[in-house]
Each structure stands twice: as C-alpha cells, then as structure tokens.
Amino acid sequence: MLRMRDYYSILGVSKSASGEDIKKAFRSLAHKYHPDKKGGDEAKFKEVSEAYAVLSDEKKRAQYDQF
C-alpha cells in the first residue's frame, strides 16, 4: 500500500493552517531548497512544491484531509 506523505509536516504547518500560513511556509522553504541556490536540494524542493500544490488548492486539500 502506498503511504501518503504528511504534507503538513513537510511544510512545517498545522492541519488548521490558513492558506496564507501555507504560502509563507512554502515560500521560505522554496527559497531555502531552490536547486539554483548554493546548497540547494532539488529532491527536497520538489517535495515542498508537491506539498504546496496540494495544500494550496482547496479541493485537493479537502481530498487529502479525508485520508
């Protein structure tokens, strides 16, 4: 069985975080891990981007929260 990643912990926000909190967390982590930056981490950047893509979309987030 495929284990779902915890997108909230990836972004370091709580399940009750607002869209604005999620956006702030994403921006800060994206800046930190961006592959074009010295010391960037492409795998971590992709993981953070994937988490943001789901949690920033209300429909996807509602679906994600059901599981």
Side-chain angles (χ1 to χ4, degrees):
M1 171 133 180
L2 182 66
R3 194 171 165 277
M4 292 275 290
R5 287 192 182 120
D6 183 356
Y7 290 146
Y8 292 102
S9 69
I10 290 170
L11 292 179
V13 295
S14 70
K15 285 195 190 305
S16 60
S18 69
E20 197 57 39
D21 291 339
I22 289 169
K23 187 188 287 186
K24 278 182 198 162
F26 167 70
R27 285 193 174 148
S28 132
L29 290 169
H31 184 74
K32 178 177 177 181
Y33 293 120
H34 198 282
D36 291 346
K37 283 191 69 180
K38 185 175 167 57
D41 181 335
E42 189 173 354
K44 195 80 174 140
F45 180 76
K46 284 181 178 172
E47 189 178 48
V48 167
S49 298
E50 181 184 320
Y52 179 68
V54 172
L55 297 182
S56 64
D57 180 304
E58 282 185 33
K59 284 182 185 165
K60 289 180 187 171
R61 184 176 179 181
Q63 254 182 343
Y64 173 78
D65 287 343
Q66 285 180 334
F67 296 106

